[in-house]
């Protein structure tokens, strides 16, 4: 589904991603972990098409297509979804209007008719139940004045509407209490199937108790420095990042080594 | 360049023609007022950019442009369908319509207003019932202080007169529509409105200026509004002159104790538009809210000047003006808040926010607080910014196209003003006007 090769990206002239390789198949869940500032959000934004992040080298093939050549909106329409670490507040844009416009944009791209107001409301009720959201939410401006937990649930709600093939969750668990975390994880798990994939960026292994990964990768200083199965997350939980950091910092100087596959 | 000395300044020539048509009316005290106002214009001319209040808005071209009185040739009738476009659903059964400054009884409609409410052409009332309005007319808008008030006063004749007696609550809005079209080369009109609202009375007034076609003309309206104790007025002004037109309007508001004036001013049209709103909070507990939205592109110039005079203690004022500018458009906002020495416990909030969609657009925003009392709360803020990239990206990341995402963001920016329109049909109409100006994330000429 997704193949990232030797991806380099920079922001304002500073290189942040320094050669990422990652392959994700349909049906898989990949966790990306790593200390703060290692480039996890940068990777997520590059995949979603944020223009401020310049790709300087490498390629990303998604469903056989050159993802980097697509506009952000076309990526979304092709089934790539980013749940933002910091969802954006948009005062004055009504949530119901936003959701319906987004859904119809994706439907139009796929040759489907616009959803009617009635059908939309029906769908909205169903999806909101999934993330335990109140109907009054539809009347509010997008993310404006939302609590941290509400914002994260709103991301999952949007995901539930758009039914992406590739969902990238950027620290959707941070700042959530255990109940909210369970709601979010439940929402994600309901949407999983053998045709789609999840990249879960997280800081904590806690989320991975609920969204169980097939692979865990550690991102550090713009490179994937270690990959493994779900047990790697537990290992990190116990030992912290220090030993990985130390190892990586030593290896960085070795010519030709651009991260572990 | 040689100047044709035989040619009089246009307003003097126009005044002679105007006087001739007045016949017997030229002997009245009102006419003495007109002449005094004309003298003021003659003596001082139009304001120059050396005057503080006109620093960013150059009106010298209006003075030299040779505006003429309306050419009163037979006009093609304005059809129902055309008119319908400028009415607001069921909101406008009570309306006064003026075409090129002249009252049109055919297009106007008055249905079901209580007998004691007056809503009619000012000129008619001046002729039939001068005693009712003369005590109020030209008492607020002072021609000595403002060149364009003086110009309007010199030609004072037609316009809307509203009189709401004490304790009357008018449910239906009163709608006043000024249409400019096909009035000859460079014509000028001077609409004059007077709204007198009694104690404990309430009324909603919509004032709309519309221009058809592309010819150049000049609209020079003055509205005077008097709120007696505990009166409430919702005043909407919608300026949609054509793109070659000049619109320089003055609204002068006088508030007595516990009265409440709420203004919503929308400035969309004209090549040069200037809207002055001056309010005097002249009784304890009076409150005024001034909201405005302006949109300008191409070479449009839009200037909003507001003055809130806190003359008595315990008055509140709230002000929010927002502007959206594209291409080489230029906007001016000047918001003066004046707090007099005994206006203690004044509470005044002002904000002016501007969204620039091009690098060539210019905004001059100037809050002016002049505070002579000590126990007051006055805050103001001005911002000039671009569209929020993060917001646009967020919308795009959900499949919404770049252009549409920008349109949504622009609409949302305007929405903070349009949402304040309490009349639903009007709100939808104005939001439609905003939306129809948006093209691919920018402003267009429609
Ligand atoms: N827009 C930006 N401008 C400048 N520096 C940035 C920007 N975004 C991220 N960075 C820098 O890139 C590095 C990686 O950040 P980020 O991808 O957010 O890390 P993570 O999500 O792993 O915490 C950090 O050093 C951060 O300061
Ligand atoms: Mg991050």
């Amino acid at each position: 589904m997704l193949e990232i090769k030797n991806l380099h990206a920079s922001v304002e002239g500073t290189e942040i991603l320094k050669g990422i390789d990652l392959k994700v198949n349909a049906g898989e869940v990949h966790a990306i972990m790593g200390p703060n500032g290692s480039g996890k959000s940068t990777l997520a934004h590059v995949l979603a098409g944020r223009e401020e992040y310049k790709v300087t080298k490498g390629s990303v093939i998604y469903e056989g297509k050159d993802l980097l050549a697509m506009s952000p909106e076309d990526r979304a329409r092709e089934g790539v979804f980013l749940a933002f670490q910091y969802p954006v507040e948009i005062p004055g844009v009504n949530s119901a209007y936003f959701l319906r416009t987004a859904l119809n944009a994706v439907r139009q791209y796929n040759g489907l008719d616009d959803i009617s107001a009635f059908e939309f409301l029906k769908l909205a009720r169903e999806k909101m139940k999934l993330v335990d959201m109140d109907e009054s939410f539809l009347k509010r401006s997008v993310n404006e004045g939302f609590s941290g937990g509400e914002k994260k649930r709103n991301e999952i709600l949007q995901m539930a509407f758009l039914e992406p093939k590739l969902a990238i969750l950027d620290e959707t668990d941070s700042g959530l209490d255990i109940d909210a975390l369970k709601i979010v994880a439940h929402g994600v798990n309901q949407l999983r199937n053998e045709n789609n994939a999840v990249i879960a960026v997280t800081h904590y292994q806690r989320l991975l108790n609920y969204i169980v990964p097939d692979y865990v990768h550690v991102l550090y200083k713009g490179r994937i420095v270690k990959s493994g199965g779900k047990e790697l997350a537990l290992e990190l939980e116990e030992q912290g990042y220090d030993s990985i950091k130390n190892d990586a910092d030593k290896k960085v100087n070795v010519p030709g080594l651009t991260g572990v596959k | 360049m040689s100047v044709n000395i035989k040619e009089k300044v246009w307003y003097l020539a126009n005044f002679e023609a105007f006087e001739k048509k007045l016949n017997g009316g030229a002997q009245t005290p009102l006419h003495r007022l007109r002449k005094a106002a004309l003298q003021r214009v003659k003596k001082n001319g139009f304001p120059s950019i050396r005057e503080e209040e006109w620093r960013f808005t150059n009106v010298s071209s209006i003075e030299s442009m040779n505006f003429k009185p309306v050419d009163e040739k037979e006009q093609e009738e304005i059809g129902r369908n055309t008119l319908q476009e400028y009415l607001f659903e069921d909101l406008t059964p009570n309306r006064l319509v003026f075409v090129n400054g002249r009252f049109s009884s055919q297009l106007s409609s008055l249905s079901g207003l209580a007998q004691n409410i007056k809503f009619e052409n000012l000129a008619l009332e001046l002729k039939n019932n001068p005693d009712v309005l003369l005590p109020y007319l030209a008492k607020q808008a002072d021609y000595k202080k403002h060149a364009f008030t003086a110009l309007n006063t010199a030609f004072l004749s037609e316009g809307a007169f509203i009189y709401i007696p004490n304790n009357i609550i008018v449910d239906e809005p009163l709608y006043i529509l000024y249409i400019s079209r096909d009035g000859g080369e460079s014509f000028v009109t001077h609409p004059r409105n007077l709204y007198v609202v009694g104690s404990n009375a309430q009324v909603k007034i919509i004032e709309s200026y519309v221009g058809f076609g592309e010819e150049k003309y000049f609209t020079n309206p003055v509205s005077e509004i008097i709120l007696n104790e505990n009166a409430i007025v919702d005043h909407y002004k919608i300026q949609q002159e054509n793109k070659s037109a000049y619109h320089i309007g003055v609204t002068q508001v006088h508030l007595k104790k516990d009265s409440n004036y709420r203004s919503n001013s929308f400035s969309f049209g004209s090549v040069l538009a200037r809207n002055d709103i001056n309010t005097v909070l002249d009784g304890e507990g009076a409150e005024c809210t001034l909201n405005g939205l302006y949109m300008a592109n191409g070479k449009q110039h839009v200037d909003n000047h507001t003055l809130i005079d806190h003359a008595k203690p315990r008055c509140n004022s709230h002000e929010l003006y927002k502007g959206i500018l594209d291409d080489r458009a230029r906007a001016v906002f000047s918001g003066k808040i004046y707090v007099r020495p005994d206006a203690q416990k004044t509470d005044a909030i002002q904000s002016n926010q501007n969204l620039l969609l091009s690098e060539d657009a210019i905004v001059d925003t100037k809050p002016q607080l002049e505070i002579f009392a000590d126990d007051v709360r006055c805050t103001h803020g001005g911002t000039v910014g671009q569209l929020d990239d993060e917001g646009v990206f967020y919308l795009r990341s959900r499949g919404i196209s770049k252009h549409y995402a920008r349109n949504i963001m622009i609409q949302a920016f305007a929405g903070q003003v349009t949402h304040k329109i309490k009349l639903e049909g009007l709100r939808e109409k104005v939001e439609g006007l905003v939306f129809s100006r948006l093209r691919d994330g920018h402003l267009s000429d429609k």
Side-chain angles (χ1 to χ4, degrees), chain A residues 13-253:
Chain A
T14 312
E15 186 165 68
I16 312 282
L17 301 183
K18 300 172 181 169
I20 303 263
D21 292 280
L22 181 68
K23 197 171 168 191
V24 178
N25 296 309
E28 293 176 351
V29 174
H30 289 245
I32 296 184
M33 303 184 73
N36 262 333
S38 55
K40 304 184 296 294
S41 291
T42 303
L43 175 61
H45 276 102
V46 166
L47 294 178
R50 182 90 204 249
E51 279 147 1
E52 282 79 351
Y53 298 89
K54 300 267 177 289
V55 173
T56 51
K57 222 193 260 181
S59 65
V60 181
I61 303 299
Y62 166 74
E63 298 278 72
K65 291 176 192 154
D66 179 1
L67 186 75
L68 301 177
M70 289 185 217
S71 66
E73 51 269 38
D74 278 350
R75 298 180 197 203
R77 294 161 180 173
E78 291 280 352
V80 176
F81 182 90
L82 169 63
F84 284 59
Q85 182 176 5
Y86 304 109
V88 184
E89 297 196 9
I90 312 185
V93 178
N94 169 276
S95 290
Y97 173 77
F98 164 60
L99 285 170
R100 208 173 140 198
T101 305
L103 183 60
N104 282 334
V106 174
R107 287 175 65 97
Q108 279 165 21
Y109 184 81
N110 292 308
L112 299 170
D113 285 341
D114 279 2
I115 191 165
S116 72
F118 177 76
E119 285 296 320
F120 171 77
L121 204 62
K122 222 172 83 183
L123 191 66
R125 289 205 180 103
E126 179 193 313
K127 302 289 186 190
M128 285 192 300
K129 209 180 280 170
L130 195 68
V131 285
D132 195 24
M133 278 173 107
D134 202 81
E135 213 170 298
S136 66
F137 148 83
L138 289 173
K139 294 204 178 83
R140 296 167 67 184
S141 285
V142 176
N143 291 322
E144 192 187 28
F146 284 27
S147 69
E150 282 178 323
K151 283 184 181 165
K152 299 293 169 105
R153 277 188 283 162
N154 191 15
E155 294 297 287
I156 302 306
L157 176 67
Q158 292 167 39
M159 175 177 153
F161 263 97
L162 301 180
E163 298 179 334
K165 285 189 210 144
L166 175 65
I168 304 159
L169 312 178
D170 190 2
E171 302 216 18
T172 303
D173 53 332
S174 339
L176 296 187
D177 63 32
I178 190 71
D179 293 329
L181 181 73
K182 280 181 185 163
I183 290 169
V184 163
H186 173 72
V188 173
N189 286 327
Q190 288 293 304
L191 299 166
R192 282 185 60 187
N193 61 44
E194 67 279 10
N195 298 319
N196 58 30
V198 176
I199 297 176
V201 172
T202 181
H203 220 66
Y204 314 101
Q205 96 91 24
R206 202 178 55 169
L207 174 74
L208 306 178
N209 291 334
Y210 300 96
I211 303 175
V212 181
D214 300 295
Y215 300 94
V216 176
H217 311 275
V218 180
L219 191 63
Y220 178 58
K221 290 193 175 169
R223 291 185 176 88
I224 290 178
V225 294
K226 192 163 186 180
S227 294
K230 60 173 178 263
E231 65 289 344
L232 177 56
L234 287 168
E235 208 178 290
L236 288 169
E237 177 86 344
E238 278 162 26
Q239 298 169 10
Y241 290 111
D242 283 351
S243 72
I244 287 180
K245 280 186 188 172
N246 285 337
D247 286 355
D249 286 338
K250 269 183 240 151
K251 281 180 196 160
V252 158
N253 297 323

Side-chain angles (χ1 to χ4, degrees), chain B residues 109-169:
Chain B
S109 140
L110 295 174
S111 57
L113 274 183
Q115 290 268 306
N116 50 358
I117 295 171
K118 283 202 184 293
F119 180 46
E120 52 194 289
N121 182 9
L122 186 96
L124 190 73
E125 199 66 12
L126 270 173
K127 204 164 115 205
N128 298 340
N129 258 326
D131 295 347
V132 181
L133 60 78
L134 281 179
Y136 303 102
L137 188 66
K139 295 293 186 287
Q140 308 307 325
D142 186 351
Y143 72 82
K144 294 188 197 84
K145 287 190 186 149
H146 196 292
F148 290 92
T149 299
L151 183 65
N152 173 286
T153 305
F155 292 90
L156 190 158
S157 168
E158 300 204 37
F161 175 57
I162 295 174
Y163 184 89
I164 315 290
N166 296 346
N167 306 312
I168 299 289
I169 293 171

